[in-house]
Amino acid sequence: VKNGPPVATILSPASGSRYTVGDAIAFSGQGIDPEQDELPESALAWTVNMRHNEHAHLDALPPTTGRAGSFVSED
């Protein structure tokens, strides 16, 4: 559909993946624009919010751009 919004897809980690404290978690994704095809790395932005025990840690990863990256899960 031309003139539609871009579609973002998280490629990894897979939905339902598990981790333990101290694991390095790799992530990747892509953005497709109906008019431009795949968006450049500079168009993708990531923020990681860790949620558990009825609260969230909103700074697990500072805002980051690109198609992929990683971070270490903290306790």
Side-chain angles (χ1 to χ4, degrees):
V1 175
K2 293 290 184 185
N3 294 325
V7 176
T9 304
I10 295 174
L11 302 173
S12 66
S15 181
S17 295
R18 295 180 168 261
Y19 68 92
T20 57
V21 172
D23 283 354
I25 300 173
F27 58 88
S28 66
Q30 68 180 14
I32 304 292
D33 184 294
E35 295 178 22
Q36 300 174 1
D37 295 321
E38 190 167 5
L39 295 172
E41 287 196 43
S42 61
L44 302 177
W46 298 86
T47 303
V48 174
N49 298 321
M50 306 288 282
R51 299 174 191 271
H52 68 98
N53 295 335
E54 306 296 324
H55 69 278
H57 298 263
L58 302 179
D59 59 353
L61 176 74
T64 302
T65 59
R67 287 193 180 99
S70 67
F71 66 98
V72 175
S73 64
E74 296 183 10
D75 190 5

